[in-house]
Amino acid sequence: MPHLLVFGEQKIRHITVYALLLAVSAGVAAALVVPDLQVGNAMVTDPQWSEQHIAEWRIQAVLAYTSGSAVGHVCALLAGLLVARWSMTDARQAGFITALLAGSGLGAIQLAVASWAATPLLYELSDFPGTGDPMEDWVVNPGLQHHVPVLVGMALTFAVFLAVAAAGFWMAYRAVLLRFVLVGIIVVVMPIALFFTTAIALIPQP
C-alpha cells in the first residue's frame, strides 16, 4: 500500500510538471504573437505590388502562427529529459514513445494558442486599403489553404517539437559534455535556423 501511495504521488508530480510546461508554452505563444507580427511587417520594406504584399502577409502569418516556438522547443527538450529520468531503465522504448507524445502535446498547444491569438489579427491585416480603384485594390485571402508555405512552416515547427523531445530523451543517457553541446544547438542554433527556413526560405520576397 505505501508503494502504491508513493507511485500515485509521483504520477501527480509528473502531471503537474508537464502541465506547467504546457502553460509556459501556451503563455509565451500568446504573448509573442503581436511582436512577431511586427517583425514580419518590418521584413518587407515598402511593398509596392500585390506579390510583395502577399509575401509580407505570409511572413507575418508564419511567424505569428508559430509564435513562441523557440521557448516551446526548450519545454519539449525538458519534457524529453524528464521522461527519461522518470522512466525505468528497462522500459526505454515506452519512455521514448512517451517523450514523443509529450512533444506532440506541447506542439499542439503552442500552435493552437498561437493560431487562436493570431487569426483575428491576420484577418485584419489581410485587408489592404488601396486607392479606392477596384482595378488596383486587392485583398489577401486569409484562408491558409491559399498559403501553403505558411502551412509548411507550421508543420515543420510541429515536427521540431517531436524531434527535440526525442533528442531530450536520448540525451539523458549520454555524456554530460554531449548534453551541453546539444542543448546549445537546440537553444541557440535551431531557432535561428528555423526562422530563416520558415520566414525567408519558404517565403522569398518577389
Side-chain angles (χ1 to χ4, degrees):
M1 192 69 177
H3 175 72
L4 293 177
L5 183 60
V6 171
F7 181 75
E9 291 176 349
Q10 289 177 341
K11 284 293 185 182
I12 293 174
R13 185 166 61 251
H14 298 170
I15 293 172
T16 301
V17 172
Y18 184 64
L20 178 61
L21 293 175
L22 288 172
V24 170
S25 296
V28 172
L32 293 182
V33 165
V34 172
D36 283 338
L37 285 172
Q38 293 171 346
V39 171
N41 180 63
M43 288 180 63
V44 179
T45 305
D46 191 24
Q48 295 296 318
W49 54 87
S50 60
E51 289 82 2
Q52 288 183 325
H53 285 286
I54 292 172
E56 179 187 45
W57 189 91
R58 286 178 175 175
I59 292 172
Q60 290 176 300
V62 76
L63 291 177
Y65 280 130
T66 61
S67 175
S69 59
V71 175
H73 290 152
V74 173
C75 291
L77 175 68
L78 291 174
L81 287 167
L82 290 172
V83 168
R85 180 179 178 181
W86 295 335
S87 300
M88 295 185 299
T89 56
D90 58 348
R92 288 194 182 182
Q93 184 175 1
F96 180 76
I97 294 173
T98 302
L100 289 177
L101 292 173
S104 66
L106 286 163
I109 194 69
Q110 184 270 325
L111 290 172
V113 171
S115 298
W116 168 77
T119 297
L121 300 176
L122 286 164
Y123 266 71
E124 292 179 7
L125 292 171
S126 68
D127 293 330
F128 178 62
T131 62
D133 185 346
M135 298 299 293
E136 296 182 8
D137 287 357
W138 58 274
V139 176
V140 177
N141 191 324
L144 287 184
Q145 68 271 21
H146 302 291
H147 305 283
V148 174
V150 177
L151 293 173
V152 173
M154 294 171 68
L156 182 60
T157 300
F158 181 79
V160 173
F161 271 93
L162 300 181
V164 169
F169 183 85
W170 180 82
M171 284 165 49
Y173 300 98
R174 299 301 179 267
V176 175
L177 180 59
L178 181 57
R179 294 184 202 175
F180 276 113
V181 172
L182 290 175
V183 168
I185 292 173
I186 292 171
V187 173
V188 178
V189 178
M190 189 184 65
I192 297 173
L194 193 61
F195 172 82
F196 278 95
T197 300
T198 56
I200 296 178
L202 286 177
I203 311 172
Q205 296 183 30

